[in-house]
Amino acid sequence: MTFEQHPGRGRFNAIFFRVMGPYIEWSVRRRKGRVFADLPRQVVELGPGVGANLGYLATGTNLIAIEPNRAMYGGLGRAAARRGIHLDLRERMAERTGLDDASTDTVISSLVLCSVQDPAAVLAEVRRILAPGGTFRFLEHVVAKPRTFTRLVQRVLRRPWGWTFEGCSCERDLEGLIREAGFLSVTVERYRLHSPFLGFNPQIAGVARV
Ligand SMILES: C[S@@+](CC[C@H](N)C(=O)[O-])C[C@H]1O[C@@H](n2cnc3c(N)ncnc32)[C@H](O)[C@@H]1O
């Protein structure tokens, strides 16, 4: 399994998330505030992009960032330096992080399981690297309810959306996948944004424990 670098689209996405980041952040701030509350000083993040979640980490945190997309590295490095985060950037895919079994207490991610090649493999990897009692804290956009207008939009836009956002899908039942992944417990909050990006609006945020 390899990550295909798309120089043009990678750059577009890095700029898109830098520009749109504050708007997305404003929309989800209360949910993120809850699921990313009291993070420890050692955190693994899957697909951090240009650093949307750095603001939830205390200054001095050691962040192991699993990010295969080189287009994100400049923005992520600068954002981490501004916030005093010790960035340990690994050019790896979340399906195979290369981290040891039970080597971390906390894994976080936002808007990543929609984009990875194999979300079930990523969730198995998260369980493998979490130490007993550890938590996976996530926020994702998910498939809409069947026979709704939003579901129709997700269906119609699947190809251009996936192409533009480098493999992102709005049609994944990520709550179902997380619940089936074998965590000891899973708490999920479902909600809906009111953004103009209709297919992106059904979302979940939660915590899974091992
Ligand atoms: C939609 S962006 C979200 C970025 C950031 N987490 C945020 O909330 O703004 C998806 C991110 O997942 C990364 N990604 C894609 N496939 C991945 C994989 N297999 N493993 C880890 N990260 C991946 C992309 O490079 C990108 O940074």
Side-chain angles (χ1 to χ4, degrees), residues 3 17 45 47-49 52 66-69 72 93-95 110-112 115-116:
F3 182 84
F17 282 100
E45 179 166 8
I66 307 295
E67 175 57 74
N69 193 342
M72 304 292 173
M93 297 175 74
E95 288 86 344
S110 65
L111 310 177
V112 169
S115 294
V116 299

Side-chain angles (χ1 to χ4, degrees), residues 142-156 170-171 192 198-199 201-202:
V142 295
V143 68
K145 290 194 180 126
R147 292 178 294 282
T148 58
F149 181 63
T150 305
R151 185 70 191 90
L152 178 67
V153 170
Q154 290 178 332
R155 187 87 192 169
V156 169
C170 291
E171 300 188 285
R192 195 181 166 84
L198 205 58
N201 287 344

